[in-house]
Amino acid sequence: MKILSPEVTKLLDKLYNLRGSDSVVFKEMESAHKEAEETRIRTTEQKSALQEKIAGLERDSKELNEQGKKLADVLSGIDKNTFAIVIERLNIDFDPEELANELNDKLPSTIERVNEDIKSSQDELVKVEEEMNSAITTIEEIGIRKDTAIANQEKLNEYFELALSGNINITRDSITNLLEQFNFDEEETREAAKLLMFPEDALYEYDNKLKNMEKKSISEVMQEAKKQEEPKFEEEIIEVPEEIVEISKNVETILDFANESKVNSEPEVVEKSFDREDLIDLLNEIGLDYLDYTTKDLDEILANFNEKVIRRNVSMFKNNDLNLDIFVDNISLIYDRELEAKVDRLLRIGKSALDIYLNPNILTKYDYKGLDKAIILLQNSGLDPKKVPLMAY
C-alpha cells in the first residue's frame, strides 16, 4: 500500500473539495453574490432617496423664482403711508422698500445655492447608479459562472468515478483543460492529471478514507486531519482555595461600590476657558468655517462663550434644515440661549425654514417673550401669524 505523501494529500484535498457541495469555488461565488446583492439593495435605496431629494430641490428652485417675483411685485405696489396708522399702533417695523432691497439682495444667491445642491445631488446620483449597475452585472455574471461551475464539477466527478473504477479513457488535454477552469497552476494540473489517468494506491486509499467518514463533509475531514497534526497540550487544573475565591469576590464588590460612588460624587465639570485658537477648532468641528467670521466676531463669541449653547444652536439649525450662513451676518445667534425656543415657536405657527432663512432678523429683533407677544398680538388682531410675512412682525 503506497503511503500518502503530504504533497499528494494536499492536492487531493483540493480536488475533493472541488467535488463537494462545500467547494471553495461555490463559497467564493456565494460570498461575492451576497456582497453584490447588499450593494444592489443599498444603492437602489440611495437612488430613490436622491431622486426624491432632487425633485424636492427642483420644486424649491421653481417656487423661489415664482414666489420671489410675486413678492417683489407685491412690495413694489405697497405704499407704507397707506398703512401708517396700523403700523404705528401695532408697533410694526414694516418698510416695503427696505424689504424689497433685502429680497433682491438675498434671493439670487439662495436660488444659486439650491441649484448647486441639485447639481451636486445629480452628480452623486450618477455615481450611485454606476455602482448599482455594476452590482447588478456582477450578480448576473455570478449566475452564469455558477452554471459553468456546476457543469465543471459534474465533469470532474465523472472523471474521478472513471478513474476509481479503472475505466478512465479521457485524454490528457481534456483533463488539463478542465482543471484550468479551477485555477490550478501548471504543476498542480500535471500531477492531478497523472493521478486520474494512472490511478494508484494513493488515490484509492484517500477515497476509502473519505468513504469511511461519509457522514462528514470533506471540509470537516480535512479540518480533523489538521487537528491531528497539531501538538496537544494537557491543561493543568489548579484548584483555588475557597477562601481566596471569597476574598476575590469581596474585593470586586468593594471596587464596584467605590467606582459607583466616585461617579455619583464627581463634581460638575467646569467649562474650561477658551482662547481664539480653541474657538476656531470648535467652529471647524461643528461645521462653521471660521474664515467667514471677523476677529471682532470671534472676540464677541468669546465674550459670551458657552460651548453647550453653541453646539446646541448649530445642531438645531442642522436638524431643521436651516442654513448655517445665517450666523455669519447675525453673530449673536451663535451664543443666543433662547435661539432654539424662538425657532421652535416660529416653526409651530407654520413658518418654514426658508421663511426664517430669508428673515433672520426676526431672531435678533426679539427675545423669546417679545416674539411670543408679537405672535399673540397678531392672533388677537384676527390675523394668521403663518400668513403674515415675518418682515411685517
Side-chain angles (χ1 to χ4, degrees), residues 37-52:
E37 182 63 22
E38 290 174 349
T39 300
R40 183 193 67 78
I41 294 173
R42 172 176 56 79
T43 51
T44 299
E45 293 174 350
Q46 289 178 329
K47 177 181 177 181
S48 177
L50 282 168
Q51 288 175 329
E52 185 177 345

Side-chain angles (χ1 to χ4, degrees), residues 213-375:
M213 306 180 72
E214 59 184 3
K215 292 184 179 180
K216 299 181 180 180
S217 70
I218 294 173
S219 294
E220 289 174 325
V221 173
M222 291 189 289
Q223 188 66 26
E224 287 188 3
K226 182 180 179 181
K227 286 182 179 179
Q228 290 175 359
E229 296 174 0
E230 294 175 351
K232 296 181 179 178
F233 300 95
E234 294 184 359
E235 293 186 4
E236 182 180 359
I237 301 175
I238 302 175
E239 293 186 2
V240 180
E242 190 172 334
E243 294 83 357
I244 294 179
V245 174
E246 285 301 319
I247 292 173
S248 177
K249 289 181 179 178
N250 291 336
V251 169
E252 289 179 1
T253 302
I254 292 169
L255 288 175
D256 289 341
F257 178 77
N259 288 331
E260 183 179 352
S261 300
K262 180 181 177 182
V263 170
N264 293 332
S265 63
E266 283 180 348
E268 185 177 348
V269 177
V270 178
E271 194 162 5
K272 69 173 185 177
S273 60
F274 256 61
D275 58 22
R276 193 174 296 163
E277 291 300 321
D278 292 329
L279 179 58
I280 289 173
D281 291 340
L282 174 62
L283 295 180
N284 288 333
E285 179 189 340
I286 60 180
L288 299 179
D289 188 347
Y290 78 94
L291 295 175
D292 290 336
Y293 302 92
T294 65
T295 300
K296 182 180 178 182
D297 290 336
L298 298 179
D299 289 342
E300 181 179 338
I301 297 173
L302 285 172
N304 299 274
F305 186 78
N306 186 306
E307 182 176 353
K308 182 178 179 181
V309 171
I310 293 173
R311 288 183 179 274
R312 183 182 65 207
N313 288 347
V314 172
S315 176
M316 180 270 296
F317 261 45
K318 292 178 179 177
N319 292 338
N320 289 287
D321 294 326
L322 279 162
N323 198 304
L324 300 181
D325 289 348
I326 292 179
F327 291 125
V328 176
D329 297 319
N330 303 275
I331 198 69
S332 64
L333 294 181
I334 292 181
Y335 54 82
D336 186 346
R337 296 173 181 270
E338 295 185 322
L339 181 62
E340 184 174 21
K342 288 188 286 187
V343 170
D344 179 67
R345 186 72 174 97
L346 292 172
L347 293 175
R348 281 191 287 114
I349 63 171
K351 291 300 181 182
S352 67
L354 182 59
D355 290 330
I356 299 172
Y357 174 75
L358 293 174
N359 300 277
N361 61 323
I362 190 70
L363 299 173
T364 56
K365 179 179 179 181
Y366 293 106
D367 59 11
Y368 179 77
K369 288 184 178 179
L371 177 61
D372 186 59
K373 184 177 180 180
I375 292 172

